[in-house]
Amino acid sequence: MATPTELRNALVRLTGNAEADLAALWAQLDAATVADGLFAVLPALVEDYGDAAATLTAEWYEQYRADLNVTGAYAASLTTVDLGAEALAGWGTDLARIDWDTALARISGGLTKRVMTASRDTVMTNTGSDRKARGWQRKARPDGCGFCQMVAGRGTVFRSRTTASFASHDHCRCVALPA
C-alpha cells in the first residue's frame, strides 16, 4: 500500500543522497573553484534528483489512487518546472565568498527544497488534471516547524495553484497529498 509516510520516507532518502553528493562536491572546492564547481555540478544535481522525485511521486500517486479504489483510469504525468538550479548556484557562490563555514548547509537546504518542489508540483499538477481528485493538501512531519504544522493542521484542500502555492522553507520535508 502506498502511504503518505512511504512517500515522505522515500523523498527523505532521495534528498539525503542529493545532499551527500553536494557534500562530496563541496569537499573538493575552495574559494577559487567554488563558482566553477557549483555552476558545473549543481544544475545536474537539481535536475537528476528533481526528475527522480517527480518520477517517484508520479508512480506513488498512481498506486495511492489505486489503493483508495478510485474508479477510472489515470496515468500520472511528470512536471517540468524550472527548479532554479542556476539561481541556486549563483546564490551559493555569492554566499560561499561571504561565509564559507555556513554556505554548504544553506546550499544544501536550497537543493532539498528544489527536489521536494519537484515532488509537490507533481502532486499539484496531477490533482489538477485528475477528475477524481478534489485537490491537494499539505502533510507535515510530526516534528515539523510551527508554520508547517499550522498549515497542515487546517486540513484545507487546495484546488489549484491559483488558490494556493506550496510555501516551503529550506530543508522542509512536508509533502503534498492528493485529496
Side-chain angles (χ1 to χ4, degrees):
M1 178 165 220
T3 67
T5 301
E6 289 173 336
L7 175 62
R8 180 186 350 271
N9 290 344
L11 291 167
V12 166
R13 284 189 303 273
L14 188 66
T15 57
N17 291 339
E19 289 175 324
D21 285 351
L22 176 61
L25 167 66
W26 193 258
Q28 299 172 28
L29 301 177
D30 59 27
T33 60
V34 69
D36 290 341
L38 289 179
F39 277 100
V41 178
L42 198 52
L45 287 178
V46 170
E47 181 178 349
D48 291 350
Y49 282 102
D51 288 350
T55 300
L56 169 84
T57 303
E59 291 170 357
W60 175 88
Y61 185 99
E62 291 173 354
Q63 185 61 51
Y64 185 69
R65 194 177 186 279
D67 290 348
L68 294 175
N69 296 316
V70 176
T71 60
Y74 182 78
S77 62
L78 302 178
T79 58
T80 54
V81 297
D82 178 6
L83 295 173
E86 294 287 330
L88 180 59
W91 176 80
T93 298
D94 291 343
L95 180 61
R97 291 180 178 147
I98 297 167
D99 185 0
W100 184 269
D101 294 334
T102 63
L104 175 59
R106 298 196 56 202
I107 298 165
S108 182
L111 175 60
T112 296
K113 181 176 181 173
R114 283 156 176 79
V115 172
M116 294 297 291
T117 294
S119 170
R120 296 173 188 134
D121 281 358
T122 297
V123 170
M124 292 164 51
T125 296
N126 283 289
T127 58
S129 301
D130 185 351
R131 293 178 188 217
K132 300 289 179 148
R134 291 180 297 142
W136 59 273
Q137 60 193 31
R138 180 188 213 98
K139 174 77 171 165
R141 294 184 326 236
D143 63 341
C145 75
F147 171 78
C148 292
Q149 292 292 340
M150 183 261 316
V151 174
R154 291 180 178 169
T156 303
V157 175
F158 302 102
R159 290 175 185 20
S160 72
R161 284 190 179 94
T162 59
T163 59
S165 64
F166 198 107
S168 65
H169 50 83
D170 289 355
H171 296 291
C172 180
R173 298 280 201 286
C174 291
V175 293
L177 298 178

